[in-house]
């Protein structure tokens, strides 16, 4: 078997074992080890064509290699966090083979299969097959988003609906692309525009571009922090990788009269709306959703602006986004050990009881906002420079969006610093296992400190992040001027 | 007992226009009604009608495959709905009660749902939207015909896609939203199957549709309380 296919076979093959062991901590540990191993494998595999399957090339390119490494790494940290949380909640630090958290029972095996499907999607060079694999992963994500909750299906339903509506559009786009390639590659401008329209609508649905952002914000609001962040990191990252690869494979798409402008406008609008809405939220989950939406808008704007540094900046931004979201998820989950909800009125004064979790939450949020001295600043600054060169008015919207996210998290900080904490009933059933007098679990503290340190260190020395990713970016031909 | 080929031959007697009329009715039923049994029957009929249209456009086995996919989806949805359906079945008393409600549509009473409709997406609203949609679809299908498709097929595709999207917009109930989603996908299938020659993609897409049904069924069971049970 070609080595790249191990990345598909390994997670999917281990998933049944993890499913069988889902009720005990061992399943979680196996899942975490496999994702660590897959991340290492993804980083070290040779790139190039793997094989030809039914006349379709299967290839691992440099961009997919990097994004898959990031996806596997982020997931392994999330697995580890969830396992440690379960241990902390059950007060069974010394008995590692005990019951895991409720969401973990579905999350571990489903996430492994989802990762395998994402690898398959990334290996395929055919848009239709990629879309189908991503759709399959999205169907499984419905179970991850829903986990064990019974009170609402809104987030999972919105996700399923919007992603499923995009897949037929991609199949039509793939059919058109196939038809052009079979006709000898002669493409008229009208045909380019038609294909560009299909591709644009499809990716707008997948990337939660305003007004299709319902799935993203409701997933952040309704799902558990770890599962929500898994969806918010992996899905957009694979989709961005697919989009960039599509432009690399079909450079004529960028000749469309409207596509790149549409991407730019959609990106700026999404960033602006996400940022403004973020400033008005009253809970950290909701805030995370809109901050993630703002970040997606920024990444799309980078793509629309194009230029030589576009791929590198997008890669840095995706890496920073993954770091920030992981930090937010770990911090929010830690807070849930003491509070019933992450609403601002519930977390008053938590900075004194869980200072590291509170700090992690704010650092993660400010990183997403692109605040100076955090890892998010370097790609944000590059975006503002590119936008100013293109159209200065874009800068105003992007800055307002970033300020909105920062204001949202500063409001959250104000609440965390407050003195009167309301003790009300839990609004989220997955968080009812509250430990009244617990401190921050030691292992979770280590994860928060390490990730927060990376966020600040790469903010002070962005080259630590840029240099390793530069090699990948050089492999992606970029024809947008 | 007639063979499959004989049945297929008999089904070919159904004209495009008849099938289109049938699709107008089934999609309207999915838009207007909330009773899960009626929804599932309408969806099944929709798949059969699309299969009948496809028999004239593509290989008969592909058309039969599309009908079979629908025939698999409907039991998945039925079993999910049945699992959580706990209300008593229809009786004469409730039926007469429902008939009485037909007379009071203007008072905000939903005859087809059996509930007092205080929401802006009640029966009257849905009928109004359905009528507007018909006008819009007839205009769009004549202004923007799908390349390589007959006028009837174009109308059917537009109707299914738009009515499915409208159904999706006006509900958050997984069962009803699932029917809206499948209506959109059936409309897409009607067009896409005539274009795509790749059996791999056709097969994969069929599998995806079945798995979407499983996810919808799961959400229906989770939601639980959202199902209606009246005729």
């Amino acid at each position: 078997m070609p080595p790249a296919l191990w990345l598909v076979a390994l997670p999917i093959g281990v998933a049944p074992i993890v499913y069988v062991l889902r009720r005990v901590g061992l399943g979680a540990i196996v899942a975490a080890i496999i994702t660590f191993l897959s991340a290492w494998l993804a980083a070290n595999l040779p790139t190039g064509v793997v094989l030809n399957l039914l006349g379709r090339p299967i290839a691992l390119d440099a961009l997919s290699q990097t994004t898959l490494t990031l996806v596997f790494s982020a997931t392994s940290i999330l697995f580890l966090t969830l396992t440690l949380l379960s241990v902390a909640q059950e007060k069974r630090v010394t008995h590692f083979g005990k019951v895991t958290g409720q969401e973990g029972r579905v999350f571990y095996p489903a996430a492994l299969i989802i990762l395998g499907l994402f690898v398959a999607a990334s290996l395929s060079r055919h848009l239709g097959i990629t879309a189908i694999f991503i759709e399959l992963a999205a169907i499984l994500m419905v179970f991850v988003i829903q986990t064990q909750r019974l009170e609402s299906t809104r987030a999972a339903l919105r996700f399923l609906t919007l992603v499923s509506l995009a897949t037929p559009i991609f199949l039509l786009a793939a059919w058109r692309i196939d038809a052009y390639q079979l006709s000898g590659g002669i493409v008229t401008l009208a045909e380019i525009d038609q294909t560009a329209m299909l591709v644009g609508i499809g990716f707008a649905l997948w990337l939660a571009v305003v007004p299709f952002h319902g799935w993203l914000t409701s997933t952040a609001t309704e799902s558990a922090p770890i599962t929500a962040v898994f969806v918010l990191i992996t899905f957009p990252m694979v989709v961005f990788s697919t989009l960039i690869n599509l432009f690399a494979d079909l450079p004529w798409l960028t000749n469309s009269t409207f596509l790149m402008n549409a991407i730019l406008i959609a990106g700026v609008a999404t960033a602006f709306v996400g940022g403004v809405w973020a400033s008005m939220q009253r809970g950290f989950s909701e805030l995370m959703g809109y901050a993630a939406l703002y970040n997606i808008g920024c990444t799309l704007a980078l793509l629309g602006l194009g230029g030589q540094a576009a791929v590198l900046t997008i890669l840095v931004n995706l890496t920073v986004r993954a770091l920030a979201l992981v930090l937010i998820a770990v911090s929010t989950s830690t807070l849930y050990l003491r509070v019933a909800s992450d609403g601002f009125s519930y977390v008053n004064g938590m900075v004194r009881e869980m200072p590291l979790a509170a700090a992690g939450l704010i650092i993660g949020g400010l990183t997403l906002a692109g605040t100076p001295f955090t890892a998010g600043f370097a790609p944000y600054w590059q975006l503002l420079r590119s936008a100013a060169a293109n159209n200065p008015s874009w800068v105003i919207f992007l800055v307002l969006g970033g300020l909105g996210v920062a204001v949202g998290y500063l409001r959250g900080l104000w609440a965390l610093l407050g003195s009167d904490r309301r003790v009300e009933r839990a609004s989220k059933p997955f968080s009812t296992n509250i430990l009244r007098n617990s401190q921050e679990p030691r292992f979770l503290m280590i994860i928060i400190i390490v990730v927060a340190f990376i966020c600040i260190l790469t903010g002070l020395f962005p080259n630590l992040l840029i240099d390793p990713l530069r090699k990948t970016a050089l492999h992606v031909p970029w024809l947008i001027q | 007992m007639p063979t499959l080929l004989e049945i297929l031959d008999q089904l070919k007697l159904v004209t495009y226009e008849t099938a289109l009329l049938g699709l107008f009715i089934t999609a309207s039923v999915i838009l207007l009604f909330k009773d899960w049994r009626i929804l599932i029957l309408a969806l099944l009929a929709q798949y059969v009608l699309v299969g009948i249209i496809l028999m004239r456009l593509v290989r008969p086995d592909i058309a039969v495959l599309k009908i079979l996919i629908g025939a698999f989806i409907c039991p998945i949805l039925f079993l999910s709905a049945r699992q959580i359906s706990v209300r008593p079945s229809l009786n004469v008393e409730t039926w007469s009660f429902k008939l009485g409600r037909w007379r009071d549509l203007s008072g905000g009473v939903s005859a087809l749902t059996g509930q007092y409709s205080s929401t802006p997406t009640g029966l009257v609203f849905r009928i109004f939207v359905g009528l507007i949609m018909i006008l819009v679809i007839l205009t769009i299908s004549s202004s923007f015909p799908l390349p390589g498709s007959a006028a009837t097929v174009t109308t059917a595709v537009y109707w299914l896609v738009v009515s499915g999207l409208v159904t999706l917009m006006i509900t958050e109930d997984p069962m009803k939203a699932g029917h809206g989603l499948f209506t959109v996908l059936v409309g897409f299938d009607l067009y896409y199957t005539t274009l795509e020659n790749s059996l791999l993609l056709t097969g994969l897409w069929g599998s995806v549709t079945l798995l979407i049904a499983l996810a919808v069924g799961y959400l229906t069971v989770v939601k639980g309380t959202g199902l209606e049970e009246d005729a």
Side-chain angles (χ1 to χ4, degrees):
Chain A
M1 188 162 70
L5 293 186
W6 278 106
L7 278 180
V8 184
L10 195 62
I12 293 179
V14 172
I17 300 168
V18 173
Y19 181 75
V20 170
L21 300 171
R22 70 191 182 281
R23 289 177 192 280
V24 292
L26 191 61
I29 294 162
V30 171
I33 290 170
I34 290 300
T35 42
F36 268 122
L37 191 64
S38 301
W40 178 82
L41 203 59
N44 291 292
L45 280 173
T47 54
V49 175
V50 177
L51 78 154
N52 259 307
L53 189 66
L54 299 172
R56 317 264 184 199
I58 308 284
L60 179 68
D61 59 278
L63 181 68
S64 301
Q65 186 179 36
T66 305
T67 51
L68 289 174
T69 307
L70 286 171
V71 162
F72 277 114
S73 307
T75 309
S76 61
I77 298 173
L78 294 177
F79 278 169
L80 196 63
T81 305
L82 194 54
T83 311
L84 296 172
L85 271 172
S86 310
V87 171
Q89 276 176 330
E90 298 289 330
K91 293 185 177 177
R92 288 170 176 166
V93 180
T94 53
H95 304 286
F96 219 63
K98 296 291 181 183
V99 180
T100 63
Q102 289 291 309
E103 58 266 42
R105 293 182 189 177
V106 181
F107 180 46
Y108 298 127
L112 283 172
I113 300 175
I114 289 166
L115 292 176
L117 290 168
F118 277 150
V119 177
S122 301
L123 292 179
S124 165
R125 310 303 291 182
H126 185 270
L127 181 62
I129 292 174
T130 301
I132 282 176
F133 277 124
I134 291 179
E135 169 76 31
L136 287 172
I139 291 168
L140 267 175
M141 275 185 168
V142 166
F143 297 86
V144 170
I145 293 170
Q146 191 63 33
T147 54
Q148 306 287 316
R149 291 174 312 111
L150 296 175
E151 79 279 13
S152 172
T153 54
R154 182 184 295 173
L157 186 64
R158 282 185 181 176
F159 182 73
L160 177 71
T161 305
L162 286 168
V163 174
S164 300
L165 287 178
T167 309
I169 297 171
F170 282 117
L171 289 177
L172 279 180
W175 170 76
R176 294 200 75 101
I177 290 166
D178 284 349
Y180 305 151
Q181 285 174 343
L182 286 173
S183 68
I186 302 161
V187 193
T188 64
L189 196 59
E191 289 169 335
I192 291 174
D193 281 348
Q194 284 169 4
T195 311
M197 191 181 69
L198 292 169
V199 167
I201 295 171
F203 278 104
L205 284 164
W206 270 0
L207 288 172
V209 167
V210 172
F212 307 118
H213 61 285
W215 71 260
L216 190 145
T217 49
S218 49
T219 297
T221 306
E222 292 191 359
S223 196
I226 298 288
T227 49
V229 162
F230 171 74
V231 175
L232 297 190
I233 290 175
T234 57
F235 192 79
M237 199 175 285
V238 173
V239 171
F240 269 117
S241 167
T242 306
L243 180 55
I244 294 171
N245 274 330
L246 190 70
F247 284 139
D249 291 346
L250 309 169
W252 49 265
L253 259 182
T254 57
N255 294 333
S256 161
T257 52
F258 63 87
L259 184 61
M260 300 320 288
N261 275 334
I263 290 175
L264 177 59
I265 293 167
V268 173
T270 304
F272 178 68
V273 171
V276 170
W277 254 245
S279 68
M280 293 183 266
Q281 299 309 308
R282 294 179 178 179
F284 281 108
S285 291
E286 294 89 341
L287 187 50
M288 179 181 74
Y290 283 100
L293 183 67
Y294 163 77
N295 190 270
I296 282 184
C298 288
T299 317
L300 265 176
L302 277 167
L303 192 67
L305 287 165
Q308 293 299 315
V311 175
L312 178 60
T313 317
I314 289 169
L315 275 174
V316 172
N317 196 37
L318 289 175
T319 312
V320 169
R321 173 191 165 84
L323 272 173
L325 285 174
V326 165
L327 183 57
I328 291 171
V330 181
S331 305
T332 313
S333 301
T334 310
L335 279 183
Y336 271 123
L337 292 173
R338 287 298 303 273
V339 292
S341 164
D342 59 19
F344 291 165
S345 56
Y346 290 81
V347 297
N348 261 319
M350 282 305 292
V351 80
R352 281 179 288 279
E353 296 175 45
M354 292 191 157
L356 282 173
L361 202 49
I362 301 302
I363 291 170
L366 293 178
T367 303
L368 277 180
T371 314
F373 307 114
T374 65
F377 182 65
Y380 184 62
W381 183 247
Q382 177 61 34
L383 168 66
L384 292 183
R385 285 180 58 191
S386 305
N390 184 282
N391 182 351
S393 58
W394 297 136
V395 178
I396 298 168
F397 289 108
L398 291 168
V399 169
L400 283 176
L403 281 175
V405 177
V407 165
Y409 275 97
L410 290 176
R411 284 179 61 230
L413 176 64
W414 184 254
L416 287 163
L417 290 167
S419 56
D420 57 324
R421 180 148 65 92
R422 285 164 59 187
V423 181
E424 293 181 16
R425 66 182 180 84
S427 64
K428 296 187 177 185
F430 56 78
S431 62
T432 51
N433 192 8
I434 299 166
L435 305 177
R436 291 287 167 205
N437 296 312
S438 73
Q439 296 300 310
E440 290 160 310
R442 195 170 299 163
F443 292 109
L444 290 175
M445 279 168 61
I446 294 170
I447 295 178
I448 291 172
I449 290 169
V450 169
V451 181
F453 179 71
I454 294 172
C455 279
I456 293 180
L457 187 71
T458 49
L460 296 172
F461 306 101
N463 277 346
L464 292 174
L465 209 55
I466 293 169
D467 287 341
L469 294 170
R470 194 188 304 276
K471 196 178 157 192
T472 303
L474 288 174
H475 281 91
V476 182
W478 195 247
L479 302 175
I480 305 168
Q481 296 302 320
Chain B
M1 191 176 170
T3 62
L4 181 65
L5 284 174
E6 286 169 347
I7 294 171
L8 292 179
D9 276 344
Q10 285 174 0
L11 286 176
K12 279 183 179 172
L13 295 174
V14 180
T15 60
Y16 274 146
E17 286 73 21
T18 316
L20 178 63
L21 185 65
L23 289 174
F24 264 98
I25 293 168
T26 55
S28 301
V29 165
I30 287 173
L31 176 66
L32 297 177
F33 284 74
K34 283 187 176 175
D35 187 307
W36 58 269
R37 291 168 298 191
I38 294 174
L39 292 178
I40 291 172
L41 278 176
L43 186 66
L44 183 61
Q46 207 156 262
Y47 271 101
V48 172
L49 288 167
V50 166
I52 289 170
I53 295 177
L54 282 176
M55 269 175 208
R56 296 157 184 266
L57 302 171
V58 295
R59 285 163 42 186
D61 50 342
I62 300 285
V64 171
L65 179 72
K66 294 292 172 190
I67 297 174
L68 283 176
I69 288 169
F72 280 118
I73 286 171
C74 291
I76 292 171
L77 297 178
F78 175 82
L79 289 172
S80 307
R82 191 71 207 158
Q83 193 178 342
I84 55 160
S85 171
V86 289
R87 293 188 188 181
S89 58
L90 184 70
N91 57 41
V92 177
E93 191 181 323
T94 55
W95 180 240
S96 59
F97 177 66
K98 303 282 161 47
L99 281 177
R101 289 186 170 190
W102 276 100
R103 300 187 204 105
D104 201 14
L105 285 175
S106 58
V109 180
S110 172
L112 301 181
T113 66
Q115 288 182 333
Y116 284 90
S117 171
S118 58
T119 60
T121 56
L123 180 69
V124 177
F125 173 81
R126 281 179 272 150
I127 290 173
F128 184 66
V129 168
L131 290 173
I132 291 177
M133 268 166 40
I134 291 173
L135 290 175
V136 170
I137 296 307
L138 291 175
T139 312
I140 291 177
S141 57
S142 56
S143 306
F144 303 101
L146 292 172
S149 294
T152 332
V153 176
T154 298
T155 310
V157 170
Y158 279 132
W159 169 251
L160 289 170
V161 170
V162 174
S163 64
L165 285 176
V166 171
T167 308
L168 277 171
M169 283 178 208
I170 62 172
T171 185
E172 288 208 335
D173 172 50
M175 178 56 78
K176 181 122 177 118
H179 279 77
L181 181 59
F182 285 118
T183 304
V184 176
L185 299 184
V186 165
F188 162 74
D189 249 350
L190 182 55
Y191 180 53
Y192 182 68
T193 311
T194 58
L195 299 175
E196 184 60 69
N197 296 319
S198 164
L199 285 177
L200 173 69
L201 278 172
T202 307
L204 280 173
W205 176 239
S207 322
V208 165
T209 318
L210 281 173
L211 289 171
I212 292 173
L214 281 176
V216 170
Y218 169 73
L219 292 179
T220 304
V221 173
V222 169
K223 180 88 172 180
T225 52
L227 291 178
E228 306 286 340
E229 262 220 20
D230 42 53

